[in-house]
Amino acid sequence: MKRLAALVVCTLALGAACSRSSSAPAATVNGTTISTQDLVEELNAIEANGDFINSLQSGSPTGGITVVGSTPGSFDAAFVAQVLLRQLDYALIHSEVGKRHVAIDDACRLEARNDAMLNLGQQNAAGGQQLFDKFPKRYQDVLVARNADVIALEAALTGQQCGKGVDAAGYYSTHPDDFTKLCISLIAVSDQATADSVLVRARAGEDFAALAREVSIEPTSKETGGDIGCRLPSEFNPTVADVLKAGKTGAVLDPIPGNGGISIVKITDRQVAPLEEVRAQAEELATSTAGQAFSTWLRQARSEATVTVEPRYGTFDPATFQINAPTLDPGSGSSSSSSSTDSP
């Protein structure tokens, strides 16, 4: 990818001349204005935190991104476009929180602050706190407020409450199938013809255990008469789990293809696992479900949004919800689209 030219953005220190050039909005989304001053203030806050810039530019998990430009007081054009794009997203989120009348109390803000530390520190809260402390106080408040909007909306989309932590018990009670162990017996065979023959015999009433000992090529099921115990749906391949959950207790299911063979499965029992046994899974699934619900909402909100962007910051592409950064150096002959980053 060719290198984008740097974008020089006026800073607060430039005074009146800067304010005159900054009267036009940097962008709008659904009628909400993101002023040039908003963009300038965020970039100033980032510029003031050299350690944060270094963490972005040397971030090995994502390969690093370019923040500063080639001349003093400048930012990389793609980075500026990405910061502005994130502001568009946060404006959409904040608007939705207001429409839903989602309450953000002190407990929610504390959860948001703690989560922001983890995000900044790439799951290292202490490292995130060190970076957070080097931002101006006003920008710290902005980061926490934004994150509070996100986690409050995530919670609202899944019937939870921000600031109360992950509602493992609530998820457990409303998703019983996820915590019902499936007790199965299995006969593994090598080809479809054998699978069809075994299926006919099993459904005709032959003893499943005897069939397993006779024909199964899987050592454990052959030895145990097919019995492989009781397992949570999450312990199976998702496609197989769906098939098993749909089957009736006592039924012999249609052959299920797998790696290296075909399985004929009989569901012998169902057992609901107690919450304390599966609390960790319930927390993980509740968190995942909230994240998926938020992602689905954001994709829909983006697809319906009306967006304008000041041309000096790039060209907005509604099909991808991206801002394609401008090429500012005519001599470079370079052009590129902004890529997704973990900017604050």
Side-chain angles (χ1 to χ4, degrees):
M1 181 182 294
K2 293 183 178 179
R3 184 82 168 82
L4 281 168
L7 179 62
V8 178
V9 180
C10 59
T11 63
L12 299 181
L14 295 183
C18 174
S19 63
R20 286 196 299 271
S21 66
S22 305
S23 58
T28 65
V29 55
N30 295 340
T32 297
T33 296
I34 298 172
S35 69
T36 298
Q37 188 77 354
D38 293 332
L39 179 59
V40 167
E41 287 185 359
E42 179 153 10
L43 292 171
N44 282 344
I46 293 170
E47 184 181 36
N49 192 337
D51 287 348
F52 177 68
I53 291 175
N54 290 337
S55 75
L56 291 179
Q57 297 199 137
S58 62
S60 56
T62 58
I65 60 174
T66 303
V67 177
V68 298
S70 56
T71 59
S74 68
F75 289 88
D76 184 78
F79 179 74
V80 173
Q82 195 59 218
V83 170
L84 184 56
L85 186 71
R86 297 281 286 179
Q87 290 184 340
L88 292 173
D89 275 340
Y90 285 121
L92 286 172
I93 295 164
H94 184 70
S95 176
E96 186 68 13
V97 167
K99 288 177 184 176
R100 291 173 176 264
H101 305 289
V102 178
I104 297 179
D105 57 15
D106 288 343
C108 182
R109 280 185 281 272
L110 178 60
E111 182 180 340
R113 182 184 178 90
N114 292 338
D115 188 64
M117 301 306 107
L118 289 173
N119 290 338
L120 282 170
Q122 298 181 29
Q123 302 310 301
N124 181 330
Q129 183 73 59
Q130 290 177 357
L131 290 176
F132 183 81
D133 289 343
K134 294 180 179 179
F135 284 122
K137 175 61 168 62
R138 182 172 179 177
Y139 190 57
Q140 292 176 358
D141 293 341
V142 168
L143 293 179
V144 173
R146 285 175 173 177
N147 209 37
D149 278 345
V150 171
I151 63 176
L153 182 55
E154 281 186 347
L157 289 169
T158 51
Q160 300 187 54
Q161 186 175 347
C162 178
K164 300 294 185 181
V166 178
D167 185 9
Y171 187 90
Y172 173 86
S173 65
T174 55
H175 298 80
D177 286 351
D178 289 339
F179 308 103
T180 299
K181 291 182 178 181
L182 299 160
C183 305
I184 64 174
S185 288
L186 176 148
I187 299 172
V189 297
S190 59
D191 59 86
Q192 188 65 49
T194 304
D196 292 340
S197 173
V198 170
L199 181 66
V200 170
R201 293 171 64 183
R203 286 180 174 174
E206 285 196 41
D207 183 73
F208 199 89
L211 275 172
R213 292 188 179 96
E214 176 189 340
V215 302
S216 183
I217 62 173
E218 201 282 312
T220 300
S221 66
K222 188 177 187 70
E223 181 180 346
T224 63
D227 183 10
I228 62 171
C230 304
R231 305 178 186 181
L232 290 170
S234 59
E235 297 179 59
F236 296 98
N237 173 287
T239 302
V240 173
D242 289 341
V243 172
L244 297 178
K245 287 195 291 185
K248 295 181 179 180
T249 302
V252 179
L253 307 185
D254 290 340
I256 302 173
N259 293 330
I262 301 172
S263 298
I264 299 88
V265 174
K266 181 177 182 178
I267 301 175
T268 59
D269 196 10
R270 281 176 161 84
Q271 300 175 357
V272 179
L275 173 59
E276 291 314 308
E277 181 182 327
V278 295
R279 181 174 292 276
Q281 293 97 315
E283 290 180 355
E284 182 178 345
L285 287 169
T287 301
S288 175
T289 299
Q292 291 170 6
F294 176 80
S295 295
T296 299
W297 171 84
L298 184 58
R299 283 194 298 270
Q300 185 66 27
R302 284 174 163 183
S303 71
E304 297 172 352
T306 301
V307 175
T308 65
V309 172
E310 164 63 36
R312 71 176 296 201
Y313 302 121
T315 304
F316 179 72
D317 181 359
T320 60
F321 206 85
Q322 289 291 320
I323 299 175
N324 298 325
T327 301
L328 302 177
D329 180 3
S332 70
S334 65
S335 63
S336 176
S337 298
S338 63
S339 59
S340 179
T341 67
D342 292 327
S343 57

